[in-house]
Amino acid sequence: MNQLQKLRTPLILKWVSFDFVFNHSKSSKSILWASGSFHIAEKVRFYATKKSAKSKLEEECHLPRAVRKEAQAALLEYLHSTRSLQFMDAEHMSKNSPFFLSKLLERVDSETDIRHSLTRFLRYHPINEFEPFFESIGLRPSQYLAFLPRDLMFLNDDQRLLDSYHVLCNYGISRNKIGRIFAEAQEVFRYDPGELDSKLRSFHGVGLDQSAVVKLVSASPHLLIGNVHTEFFEVVEKLKGAGVEYSWIEEQLNGNSFNWNQLFELMCFFNRLGFTDEQLGKLICQIPGLLFDCSGRTTFSLIGFLLKFGFQKPELLDVFLHFPQIPVTKFVFNMRQCYQFLIEIEMSVLEIGSIVHAHPILLGSCVLKKATSLLTILNTGKKRLCSVIKENPEFLRNLVRGAKVERLPIAEEELRSKMMKTKFLLDLGFAENSSEMEKALKVFRGKGVELQERFDCLVNAGLDTKHVASVLKIYPQILNQRKEVLEAKIDFLVNKLGYPLSALVSFPSYLNYTIPRITLRLSMYNWLRDEGIVDSKLALSTIIASSEKLFMKAYVNPHPKGLQVWQDLKKEIYPD
């Protein structure tokens, strides 16, 4: 597969294509790509200007100025006079290859005349001229090592390389930027001189002047390979057709590299959505990132995200027609963060889909605070917050970073429930606004009616009303259990364990423990009692309320078989 075929490979989304969703496409360019990876050649480090490159390299090589000048003069004389390289080439190589010079100086006597010593050395020790050449065009030794030819030492033996190099120089491309072109598009240096010159000048046909072409090919060397430049022409012509000025296009090209095939795919996609050329040109000029951010990959990822929520052609068109004046990267990030926020507050999938469908611009414009922080600041639960957002999605604008977030007002239902709980506690004898009442209100879960029902359950079991009321001041959490659970625990105490109901008077917190825990502790106690290890009159509170560590240490471990019996009982009572 040649380079052109690789770039023309359709952009495929694994789970959906534009043709499939909208049943509309006849061109290979209609397939939507919105996820996955796009290969970008690793950038080689280049230097912005000859001056900055020289100073930085010289600093790294630690060559004294006088020594450097003498060494440069000797290398220039060797390359031009002895090896017959053009003077401009030899001069550039000698002045822009400090790493090579530093290595060369290590092989001569640095205490005598540097120029004379180096000239004498070069007379009898020919150098690999490709090393200073590659360094002078912007490549470090670690970068050009793989490019050194195995069977050549002299630049004049690779005439095509030099011819292409001269074409690029003569066109106006800075010599120290040619290294990037070599690293990313070596094929360029195998062209005939006329072919490369023709490719460079073909860009003038779409209205770009020479300075713009220099910036373009310096940033996107692959445009000089094969017929890839035709894809660039397609993009430029399409932008021109959309009314975009050349000057604006040149601004976007400044120092940037793009996947032109992908850019063209995106513009065609917008046309199939229903954008007119005029609308498309206006949109791209207002928000260049939609097209140029990651060569449109960010926009494709946004489209893919929306398609997952069932967006159809008219809905996608509406999103981009009303796209806010913010970078597309930020818009996508905000939308995904909002989606994650709704997940964290446990909103149902269908409700999230409904909000995304109805308010995509809102979600893409809001930078929300963290869900945990907001729940604390709002002094509310996830269920209540979900209800507020579903009722008014615009409420999300109040939750953005930097905004002052105020507590939610108490809901009517919540207020009514609190009033019923307060009345219930007052009837039990709690003092109004007392610390005991505040503690109980914070601990109680459930409506006032449910609390009364659970209280009545304890009284109906045979406990004295006043005693239950006094117990609740100490253990209010007892009433957080459903009526059926309380009844089951009382029945288990009296009918299964054989304890009298009065045991709850001395040990009311029994009701806070689960039946499996109670069963395990009492089963182990009964076994130890039968073995004569423990007191036969041990209090129920001592058996159940002590921590497992303390219970093991005090009662289980002293018996040789205690640990094994404990583990067997655990497996039987907690089979999972």
Side-chain angles (χ1 to χ4, degrees):
M1 181 182 290
N2 61 33
Q3 186 71 20
L4 178 59
Q5 288 174 323
K6 288 180 181 178
L7 290 171
R8 283 293 186 187
T9 301
L11 305 171
I12 297 175
L13 180 63
K14 291 182 180 178
W15 43 268
V16 67
S17 73
F18 190 78
D19 297 332
F20 179 78
V21 175
F22 302 123
N23 298 317
H24 174 70
S25 176
K26 294 184 180 179
S27 167
S28 63
K29 291 184 178 178
S30 66
I31 298 177
L32 173 66
W33 180 96
S35 66
S37 62
F38 170 64
H39 175 72
I40 302 175
E42 183 181 353
K43 290 187 177 180
V44 181
R45 183 177 178 182
F46 298 95
Y47 301 100
T49 65
K50 182 176 179 179
K51 182 177 180 180
S52 63
K54 264 182 73 176
S55 61
K56 190 167 184 65
L57 286 174
E58 288 165 358
E59 182 181 340
E60 292 183 17
C61 294
H62 304 294
L63 291 177
R65 184 174 182 181
V67 172
R68 184 178 67 250
K69 283 192 171 184
E70 291 296 310
Q72 288 173 349
L75 183 58
L76 169 60
E77 183 179 357
Y78 169 79
L79 294 173
H80 178 57
S81 301
T82 304
R83 294 296 312 132
S84 302
L85 292 179
Q86 291 185 17
F87 180 81
M88 293 292 290
D89 297 343
E91 183 182 40
H92 183 76
M93 288 169 61
S94 64
K95 289 186 176 181
N96 293 276
S97 55
F99 283 110
F100 178 79
L101 278 180
S102 179
K103 185 176 68 173
L104 197 59
L105 286 170
E106 292 175 359
R107 304 178 65 181
V108 300
D109 185 359
S110 58
E111 295 182 0
T112 58
D113 187 331
I114 295 295
R115 183 169 182 176
H116 176 76
S117 298
L118 199 53
T119 299
R120 181 179 176 81
F121 176 83
L122 292 173
R123 187 181 305 156
Y124 300 104
H125 302 86
I127 61 171
N128 186 333
E129 296 169 13
F130 290 91
E131 292 186 36
F133 172 74
F134 284 135
E135 187 178 346
S136 71
I137 62 175
L139 297 174
R140 286 175 171 265
S142 59
Q143 295 167 337
Y144 67 65
L145 187 62
F147 301 139
L148 293 175
R150 296 181 180 180
D151 54 351
L152 297 177
M153 286 183 61
F154 306 120
L155 280 172
N156 284 326
D157 291 338
D158 192 345
Q159 197 57 48
R160 286 209 170 190
L161 171 67
L162 284 177
D163 288 344
S164 297
Y165 172 66
H166 291 145
V167 170
L168 295 172
C169 291
N170 294 335
Y171 190 77
I173 297 174
S174 176
R175 292 174 184 259
N176 63 357
K177 290 185 178 180
I178 293 177
R180 178 173 183 176
I181 299 175
F182 187 90
E184 296 183 18
Q186 290 185 53
E187 295 94 322
V188 169
F189 295 85
R190 303 271 72 89
Y191 290 160
D192 290 330
E195 182 181 0
L196 177 55
D197 187 66
S198 176
K199 279 183 179 290
L200 289 169
R201 301 192 182 281
S202 67
F203 290 96
H204 300 176
V206 292
L208 296 178
D209 60 21
Q210 186 170 333
S211 63
V213 177
V214 167
K215 294 177 183 178
L216 178 65
V217 298
S218 296
S220 303
H222 68 277
L223 287 176
L224 296 173
I225 301 174
N227 294 318
V228 179
H229 60 298
T230 60
E231 295 169 354
F232 166 75
F233 296 160
E234 288 179 325
V235 171
V236 173
E237 291 296 340
K238 196 158 186 63
L239 287 171
K240 284 169 55 182
V244 179
E245 299 291 335
Y246 278 122
S247 57
W248 185 90
I249 298 175
E250 287 185 23
E251 287 179 14
Q252 310 310 312
L253 300 181
N254 188 22
N256 298 312
S257 179
F258 301 104
N259 180 335
W260 302 103
N261 183 47
Q262 194 165 287
L263 294 178
F264 187 78
E265 293 278 350
L266 182 56
M267 287 192 289
C268 290
F269 180 85
F270 278 130
N271 284 146
R272 290 193 296 275
L273 276 183
F275 273 95
T276 64
D277 287 341
E278 183 181 354
Q279 287 175 322
L280 180 58
K282 185 177 179 181
L283 175 68
I284 292 173
C285 287
Q286 288 178 343
I287 312 168
L290 280 174
L291 182 64
F292 292 104
D293 196 329
C294 296
S295 297
R297 186 171 58 185
T298 306
T299 303
F300 273 128
S301 71
L302 172 60
I303 293 167
F305 181 83
L306 297 176
L307 287 175
K308 287 183 179 180
F309 285 94
F311 275 65
Q312 297 298 312
K313 189 176 179 180
E315 296 168 308
L316 284 174
L317 176 62
D318 187 67
V319 169
F320 289 107
L321 282 174
H322 297 91
F323 205 87
Q325 292 285 336
I326 62 175
V328 64
T329 305
K330 186 175 181 181
F331 184 91
V332 173
F333 176 80
N334 291 347
M335 177 161 281
R336 293 186 181 277
Q337 288 293 98
C338 284
Y339 169 73
Q340 186 61 37
F341 172 83
L342 298 177
I343 291 289
E344 289 177 8
I345 64 173
E346 298 177 10
M347 185 177 287
S348 71
V349 174
L350 290 177
E351 289 165 347
I352 292 175
S354 177
I355 290 178
V356 173
H357 238 93
H359 303 276
I361 302 300
L362 169 66
L363 299 184
S365 304
C366 292
V367 187
L368 298 182
K369 300 177 188 288
K370 290 185 177 180
T372 51
S373 300
L374 285 171
L375 290 171
T376 302
I377 298 170
L378 294 169
N379 191 33
T380 189
K382 295 178 180 179
K383 186 176 180 181
R384 170 84 191 283
L385 184 54
C386 283
S387 178
V388 171
I389 293 172
K390 283 186 291 183
E391 184 178 337
N392 178 27
E394 288 290 334
F395 179 72
L396 289 170
R397 295 191 187 278
N398 300 328
L399 310 180
V400 298
R401 294 176 189 172
K404 184 179 180 181
V405 180
E406 299 181 354
R407 288 188 173 189
L408 286 175
I410 299 176
E412 184 178 344
E413 182 180 348
E414 187 179 342
L415 182 61
R416 186 166 55 251
S417 177
K418 185 177 181 180
M419 291 174 64
M420 292 178 69
K421 288 179 184 179
T422 302
K423 182 180 182 304
F424 169 73
L425 292 173
L426 289 172
D427 292 344
L428 290 182
F430 280 77
E432 190 171 3
N433 297 326
S434 65
S435 58
E436 290 88 356
M437 178 175 279
E438 288 298 321
K439 176 184 176 183
L441 286 172
K442 288 181 180 179
V443 171
F444 280 153
R445 293 194 299 270
K447 299 177 180 178
V449 174
E450 294 172 330
L451 296 176
Q452 184 65 55
E453 185 182 57
R454 296 164 189 172
F455 176 83
D456 292 341
C457 167
L458 297 177
V459 174
N460 293 336
L463 294 172
D464 183 78
T465 302
K466 291 184 178 179
H467 178 72
V468 174
S470 64
V471 166
L472 289 177
K473 289 184 179 181
I474 304 172
Y475 303 108
Q477 61 269 29
I478 288 174
L479 290 191
N480 285 339
Q481 302 171 76
R482 290 180 290 108
K483 173 188 173 183
E484 295 78 14
V485 174
L486 292 172
E487 288 176 340
K489 288 182 178 180
I490 294 173
D491 178 71
F492 186 76
L493 176 71
V494 176
N495 298 320
K496 299 291 183 182
L497 302 179
Y499 282 86
L501 187 63
S502 59
L504 288 176
V505 176
S506 58
F507 182 42
S509 61
Y510 160 85
L511 294 171
N512 287 330
Y513 297 100
T514 64
I515 289 178
R517 176 189 174 114
I518 297 167
T519 304
L520 176 62
R521 291 293 181 91
L522 286 171
S523 297
M524 189 68 204
Y525 167 72
N526 291 335
W527 183 84
L528 291 168
R529 184 189 60 192
D530 294 343
E531 291 287 313
I533 299 298
V534 296
D535 186 350
S536 61
K537 296 183 180 180
L538 207 60
L540 183 64
S541 59
T542 302
I543 300 170
I544 297 174
S546 59
S547 68
E548 182 169 320
K549 183 178 180 181
L550 182 60
F551 185 81
M552 294 277 292
K553 181 179 179 180
Y555 306 112
V556 178
N557 292 337
H559 195 288
K561 296 182 180 179
L563 183 59
Q564 184 60 49
V565 172
W566 174 262
Q567 291 175 343
D568 291 343
L569 286 171
K570 256 191 171 181
K571 289 179 182 178
E572 182 181 340
I573 296 169
Y574 296 98
D576 296 334

